[in-house]
Amino acid sequence: MNYLGKIRARSAQASSHYASYSSGKSRAPKRVLVTGGAGFLGSHLCETLLAAGHQVICLDNFSTGMRRNIAHLKGVDRFNAVAHDIVQPLDLEVDEIYNLACPASPPHYQADPVHTTKTCVLGSLNLLELAARTGARILQASTSEVYGDPNVHPQVESYWGNVNSFGPRSCYDEGKRCAETLFFDFHNTHGVEIKIIRIFNTYGPRMRPDDGRVVSNFIVQALTGQDITIYGDGSQTRSFCFVDDLIGGMVRMMASPSSLTGPVNLGNPGEFTIRELAEQVIGLTGSRSQIIHRPLPVDDPRQRRPDISLAMQELDWRPKIDLSSGLRQTIDYFDGLLTRPARELEAV
Ligand code: NAD
Ligand code: UDP
């Protein structure tokens, strides 16, 4: 499907996201800043916002994001891409800010841990200052990692978490926790309208083949006939949400009444062991790859599943796409990507 076809399909989806949650005023086109807009989630969000008629400024330092994720949007006159690192201050006129800028995959956020903390903390500070100056509403893409290796299962928003302050995951976990603190302090002391979502493992088309997270790793390994690398014995669990479901929840949160600050969990409550995920990927791809085991990373959470009662109640949101249909779409994406000539990929 070409971009116009896609935008029409997304338009129907986006209007249903907005219809019951927006007042007449908030449905008017807005200038929306999406930080991390060239990333996996950010590029889908930019598409959905354009389909809803908004002007979108996609800001990214292109560290883990890819120019090809937004290449198809370049011809749209309401879309602008800006290269910028949110660690540096910025000044723009905007009505809404979605802060998604931050590497999300463990190998990527651990590659330069100091910069990850700076992105979470200084980046959030810069964007909150922008929100305070412009009066923009601001949404923070927080994470289930704020619960650490949880002792409460499933995880509810009222749970404070079990986080190591100096392990390899801490730059991300503690950075995101501090960002939540900053959001609430700007809300309480400067009246900034904030929205915090805690995203649980989300997957889908436009993840990088070298992203390093489990879904993309297993699919790429299965499609290329490499061994499938289970870390540890594979009994640890995760709950996997398909990207379209997640973006729907994100825009609903942004359009919700001012009184709803969050944090609100967004994720799919279906819970699977990593071994079950590997078996599903092998089954769906028909791959002959073998499963092998690698050491479990330090501080790897044992179990994770969102309690989404709050999102269901306040946003009338719940995921609709089950793991096998989401995996099929993601497999199709990687299959197409891996068979395209390298030259063609470099060109975008
Ligand atoms: P991603 O790595 O694909 O996207 C992150 C984007 O942010 C990339 O385009 C990257 O280039 C950009 N970026 C990173 N640091 C930046 C900086 N300092 N300045 C400007 N741009 C910067 O990851 P994603 O999965 O799309 O995640 C998007 C957001 O959602 C992240 O904030 C992440 O923490 C959050 N999140 C995602 C998940 C998930 O499962 N996908 C789960 C929890 C939270
Ligand atoms: N994992 C795995 N093999 C891989 C990549 C990840 O077994 O090739 C495991 C990882 O140890 C973790 C789970 O899959 O237990 C989810 O990892 P991911 O990096 O996707 O996300 P996170 O740990 O941040 O939830």
Side-chain angles (χ1 to χ4, degrees):
M1 207 191 293
N2 64 17
Y3 176 64
L4 273 179
K6 277 189 189 151
I7 212 165
R8 277 190 206 109
R10 285 222 175 252
S11 195
Q13 186 193 336
S15 11
S16 81
H17 290 325
Y18 279 97
S20 47
Y21 285 87
S22 308
S23 66
K25 181 169 172 258
S26 60
R27 264 202 301 272
K30 298 195 177 82
R31 286 160 304 178
V32 186
L33 173 63
V34 179
T35 75
F40 159 50
L41 295 181
S43 60
H44 287 276
L45 176 64
C46 288
E47 260 186 10
T48 296
L49 294 170
L50 287 171
H54 300 299
Q55 183 186 331
V56 175
I57 304 157
C58 161
L59 189 144
D60 206 293
N61 71 354
F62 297 98
S63 52
T64 57
M66 297 185 292
R67 289 184 195 278
R68 68 169 177 258
N69 284 345
I70 52 168
H72 62 297
L73 304 177
K74 289 266 172 71
V76 181
D77 58 2
R78 287 176 288 108
F79 181 76
N80 284 292
V82 179
H84 184 85
D85 192 310
I86 62 163
V87 165
Q88 305 303 327
L90 64 160
D91 202 9
L92 295 164
E93 295 308 318
V94 286
D95 304 308
E96 284 181 350
I97 304 168
Y98 288 83
N99 183 26
L100 273 63
C102 186
S105 156
H108 290 156
Y109 69 65
Q110 290 169 22
D112 186 348
V114 174
H115 199 262
T116 298
T117 303
K118 281 186 180 175
T119 296
C120 292
V121 179
L122 297 180
S124 293
L125 188 61
N126 287 329
L127 293 163
L128 285 160
E129 280 169 353
L130 178 65
R133 189 188 67 68
T134 57
R137 183 177 272 204
I138 180 167
L139 178 143
Q140 167 68 354
S142 190
T143 167
S144 54
E145 284 283 324
V146 300
Y147 302 119
D149 189 7
N151 296 318
V152 169
H153 192 73
Q155 290 78 56
V156 275
E157 290 86 351
S158 55
Y159 175 49
W160 287 359
N162 175 36
V163 177
N164 181 353
S165 64
F166 56 87
R169 302 176 85 95
S170 306
C171 56
Y172 184 75
D173 299 8
E174 295 288 22
K176 291 281 188 178
R177 285 170 68 94
C178 184
E180 289 195 6
T181 308
L182 281 169
F183 267 68
F184 273 98
D185 288 341
F186 267 74
H187 175 66
N188 293 328
T189 61
H190 301 297
V192 170
E193 274 196 49
I194 61 160
K195 303 278 171 193
I196 296 176
I197 53 169
R198 291 180 176 161
I199 304 170
F200 285 65
N201 299 65
T202 300
Y203 69 98
R206 304 216 188 109
M207 295 184 89
R208 296 171 66 107
D210 63 351
D211 180 275
R213 282 175 277 186
V214 69
V215 173
S216 47
N217 270 12
F218 285 1
I219 291 176
V220 170
Q221 289 162 345
L223 291 175
T224 55
Q226 299 171 65
D227 291 338
I228 304 235
T229 53
I230 289 184
Y231 302 160
D233 64 6
S235 62
Q236 71 271 35
T237 67
R238 293 293 186 274
S239 299
F240 299 103
C241 186
F242 188 65
V243 58
D244 289 359
D245 279 334
L246 194 276
I247 299 297
M250 202 183 275
V251 297
R252 278 175 179 243
M253 182 66 180
M254 182 60 107
S256 67
S258 316
S259 54
L260 183 68
T261 57
V264 174
N265 287 340
L266 291 181
N268 189 321
E271 185 179 2
F272 297 86
T273 65
I274 295 305
R275 173 166 284 280
E276 285 168 339
L277 176 72
E279 284 161 358
Q280 279 221 35
V281 169
I282 290 172
L284 289 169
T285 52
S287 173
R288 293 184 158 185
S289 292
Q290 303 296 311
I291 289 177
I292 58 164
H293 292 267
R294 292 274 178 264
L296 191 67
V298 173
D299 294 341
D300 200 271
R302 284 287 318 149
Q303 55 181 0
R304 184 180 288 157
R305 170 155 61 98
D307 180 321
I308 59 163
S309 311
L310 190 60
M312 290 196 298
Q313 184 190 307
E314 297 295 331
L315 306 176
D316 191 20
W317 175 87
R318 75 195 66 207
K320 297 192 179 84
I321 299 155
D322 66 18
L323 184 60
S324 65
S325 31
L327 284 178
R328 270 181 235 277
Q329 294 184 55
T330 314
I331 290 166
D332 285 349
Y333 167 76
F334 278 113
D335 203 22
L337 188 72
L338 296 171
T339 51
R340 281 167 76 183
R343 211 176 40 251
E344 199 187 317
L345 294 177
E346 276 160 21
V348 290

